[in-house]
Amino acid sequence: MSEPGRFEAPGLVLTRAPAPGLVVLRLRADDPASRAVAAMFLRVALPSGPARPVLGPASDIFWTAPDAFLLDAGSAEAAAGLADGLRAALAGRHAACHPAGDARVRFDVAGDAAPGLLAKGTGIDLDARVFAPGSAALTRFASLPVLLVRRDAAPVFALFADRPLEAYLWDWLNDAARGGPA
């Protein structure tokens, strides 16, 4: 039985939730010193491109543009602390950092049927040998811009989208899961 924000079908579980733990970090692409400061504060190297995010236990870091990263700290409190810490570490540098959880939504698509469902909305090959665990892609999904992430070998994917797209994407995913036109 489904509940608001959750849909279940054989081999498939869809969930949607706010993504309150998100932080946007902007750094000049030609400023390796600022990137080094941010990496030192985060205790991990920043991703060098869009395909391989840094997925860690404390936060996930996604490359979203040559001068931008999206960090997922998990909760609004963690995001606020992360943003404050990064701002302090990067003080006096050409950088910007702010929580962005209210601006985004997250959809999780899990189960053996997840790759087939997602294939209806994107041209990315979601086979685990191609879109391997730890992969991410900025792509079009259902004709809309999203960040698509595969954390591990299990068929579990996350879609991050702008909040105004939430109702459309939720309806699209539910319709496609029920076998409707995609």
Side-chain angles (χ1 to χ4, degrees), residues 54-150:
V54 175
L55 302 177
S59 68
D60 298 337
I61 307 169
F62 303 98
W63 182 101
T64 57
D67 67 346
F69 301 91
L70 182 66
L71 291 74
D72 185 356
S75 71
E77 296 80 23
L82 183 62
D84 289 344
L86 277 166
R87 277 194 297 272
L90 294 164
R93 298 183 176 277
H94 188 81
C97 184
H98 61 277
D102 291 340
R104 306 276 172 98
V105 66
R106 176 183 174 142
F107 299 89
D108 290 318
V109 183
D112 293 335
L117 173 70
L118 293 172
K120 293 179 180 183
T122 185
I124 293 176
D125 186 346
L126 298 172
D127 184 284
R129 294 168 294 183
V130 179
F131 197 68
S135 293
L138 294 166
T139 188
R140 304 292 286 176
F141 181 83
S143 300
L144 301 171
V146 300
L147 172 64
L148 177 64
V149 180
R150 183 181 198 143

